[in-house]
Amino acid sequence: MNITIKKGEKMKTKRSLIQLYLFIAILLIALPTIAQTQQDTLSYNIETTDGNSYQGKIIEQDDVEIIFQTNNIGNITIQQADIKKI
């Protein structure tokens, strides 16, 4: 069995693959932006072990500390060990 593909069909297939790759690339670039926007809309109330309470957004977080953007005093860094409740 011999299958032949015409030159025009090869070009259409190649163009379709390029369009697919471009779409995937744009999607991969846009996803972190979409995720960041969604995270920014969440507001938290953090209560620390010394009795202070802060309201705002989590900017960055790891096992050791949280960088928190408060509504009143700006960005602060809170150690995870000092957090009583989020």
Side-chain angles (χ1 to χ4, degrees):
M1 179 160 39
N2 191 4
I3 299 174
T4 58
I5 299 175
K6 296 178 184 175
K7 187 175 183 178
E9 290 175 0
K10 278 186 176 181
M11 294 301 290
K12 282 184 179 180
T13 303
K14 200 176 221 182
R15 189 178 319 131
S16 293
L17 282 174
I18 290 170
Q19 289 173 340
L20 177 63
Y21 291 142
L22 284 173
F23 175 75
I24 291 171
I26 291 169
L27 187 63
L28 290 173
I29 291 169
L31 280 177
T33 305
I34 294 167
Q36 183 65 36
T37 302
Q38 290 175 349
Q39 183 181 12
D40 286 347
T41 61
L42 299 176
S43 183
Y44 295 93
N45 189 37
I46 293 181
E47 189 177 321
T48 57
T49 55
D50 63 2
N52 289 317
S53 183
Y54 305 97
Q55 187 173 7
K57 301 173 188 172
I58 296 175
I59 303 298
E60 206 173 310
Q61 179 176 353
D62 61 25
D63 293 339
V64 178
E65 63 189 17
I66 290 178
I67 299 175
F68 195 67
Q69 182 182 21
T70 66
N71 296 338
N72 299 325
I73 58 175
N75 289 359
I76 60 172
T77 301
I78 305 172
Q79 299 298 312
Q80 291 279 13
D82 295 334
I83 296 175
K84 181 177 179 182
K85 183 172 79 172
I86 297 180

